[in-house]
Amino acid sequence: MTRRLDPDRTIEEWLIEGPNQLPDHVLGAIVDRLDQTMQRRPGWLPRRHDTNRMLLSMGGLAAAVAVAVIGGAFFLGLGTGRPGVGGPPSPSASPSPTAMPSPSPTPGPTSIVLWDGRDRTPVITVTTPPGWVNHGEGVLTRNIDTNTKGQAAKNWDGAALIAPFYKQLLIPGDPCRWRATMPKAPATTVDAVVEALVGQASRAASAPVGVTVDGHSGKSITLHVPKDIQYTDLGESVFFPTCETGADKPTEGLFCTLSEADPNQCSRWHQGPGQIDEVWVLDVDGKVMVIDGMYSPDTPAEHVAELRAVMQSMKFGGP
């Protein structure tokens, strides 16, 4: 039977024994683990009706990155007295006992692809400051980690950007009774979408404000999930037992903002009482797009400011 390789144990043994570099098979295992972790999709953020659950712990990502960073430091010989990869140490080299490696510069803002332009929708790129994690599929998060059951519903302090919703936008009159109040005709203009959102029951909607992003005009509106709404914590997700269920989720009550085309399935539902959503509705070359920036009352103000800056940085292009 082939023994399963444990890269963590092997790295520990390597540090004790002191070879000049990691064996090839260990390096390969680290790269494989990092690649698999980075491709993992978050489960809880609402993208479409078949992928909308609560985010599991980001611990696996942190561990994989830590392994890669530590390994990279030893490959380069930083602060270890070991040479970097490429040859033996010079005979005349003598390490200074007081020498300290220079701190690495903090990464600056980075442009990433938020949405890949599927279904003939323009590619969306955004500029993100350090600390934001791109999950693909139009999901970007900051400081979201639900190691503790119920954290996302009770006291999570993160932020997320979810984009875009753009198909036939059906806006229910009541997010809790969303199937019973779903309109038959979709909202097809910025004003129609915003008017429907303002009219939703229990959302405590703000007054619409005009916005312009990358030359495309629209309106923004802030919506709330009631703080006193009854919810049930499943550990990996939260549902609202007093609200209607979806055809694809017959046992989970959903607090639903909108559906894309299918009135029996919710496309954007919410994660806990008190949640705040800054919704930007834009006309992008004749196509109405809904961009959702979400956070909780416990999210630090600086993270909310970052979220708004990321939303304002959106660029639309591509086929």
Side-chain angles (χ1 to χ4, degrees):
M1 179 179 294
T2 303
R3 181 176 66 89
R4 181 180 179 185
L5 181 64
D6 185 343
D8 297 328
R9 180 181 295 277
T10 308
I11 290 173
E12 181 179 358
E13 295 173 352
W14 174 78
L15 292 175
I16 297 173
E17 295 173 1
N20 287 332
Q21 65 182 41
L22 283 171
D24 291 342
H25 67 281
V26 177
L27 179 59
I30 295 172
V31 173
D32 288 343
R33 173 181 292 187
L34 182 58
D35 182 65
Q36 293 169 5
T37 304
M38 293 299 290
Q39 294 187 34
R40 220 171 271 148
R41 289 185 57 200
W44 73 279
L45 291 173
R47 280 300 311 133
R48 295 295 180 259
H49 60 79
D50 57 343
T51 61
N52 198 349
R53 299 185 181 89
M54 295 294 291
L55 175 66
L56 296 179
S57 169
M58 300 288 288
L61 174 60
V65 172
V67 169
V69 171
I70 294 172
F74 280 101
F75 298 155
L76 297 174
L78 298 178
T80 65
R82 300 178 186 273
V85 173
S90 170
S92 60
S94 56
S96 171
T98 58
M100 297 293 291
S102 300
S104 300
T106 302
T110 302
S111 292
I112 63 169
V113 176
L114 175 70
W115 183 252
D116 62 7
R118 65 189 60 193
D119 295 342
R120 301 179 183 176
T121 301
V123 173
I124 302 176
T125 60
V126 293
T127 301
T128 62
W132 286 81
V133 178
N134 180 25
H135 301 280
E137 295 293 323
V139 176
L140 191 68
T141 64
R142 176 69 158 96
N143 200 37
I144 290 181
D145 185 352
T146 56
N147 286 315
T148 304
K149 288 186 176 183
Q151 179 181 352
K154 298 176 183 177
N155 61 357
W156 60 280
D157 61 357
L161 174 59
I162 308 118
F165 298 96
Y166 62 94
K167 297 180 180 179
Q168 292 188 356
L169 299 173
L170 300 171
I171 316 294
D174 186 336
C176 198
R177 298 180 59 251
W178 57 278
R179 294 179 72 176
T181 60
M182 192 73 73
K184 295 182 179 180
T188 58
T189 66
V190 169
D191 287 340
V193 171
V194 171
E195 182 180 357
L197 291 174
V198 170
Q200 282 188 329
S202 72
R203 297 310 304 266
S206 68
V209 177
V211 293
T212 300
V213 181
D214 192 28
H216 302 285
S217 61
K219 294 181 179 180
S220 71
I221 184 172
T222 301
L223 306 173
H224 301 78
V225 177
K227 292 183 179 180
D228 58 353
I229 189 172
Q230 183 181 350
Y231 70 92
T232 299
D233 178 16
L234 300 179
E236 295 180 0
S237 63
V238 167
F239 74 93
F240 303 91
T242 60
C243 296
E244 292 177 331
T245 62
D248 57 334
K249 291 184 175 297
T251 62
E252 300 179 16
L254 306 177
F255 192 85
C256 178
T257 289
L258 62 85
S259 174
E260 290 183 304
D262 188 344
N264 294 310
Q265 293 181 342
C266 182
S267 301
R268 176 62 179 109
W269 66 81
H270 301 275
Q271 286 63 54
Q275 179 178 317
I276 303 166
D277 291 78
E278 294 192 8
V279 179
W280 292 18
V281 186
L282 302 172
D283 185 327
V284 181
D285 300 329
K287 186 182 292 292
V288 178
M289 293 190 182
V290 174
I291 314 295
D292 190 352
M294 57 167 280
Y295 52 94
S296 88
D298 297 318
T299 299
E302 58 267 28
H303 294 171
V304 176
E306 288 181 359
L307 171 64
R308 292 169 180 158
V310 170
M311 295 175 74
Q312 189 64 60
S313 76
M314 288 187 293
K315 302 292 183 183
F316 300 87

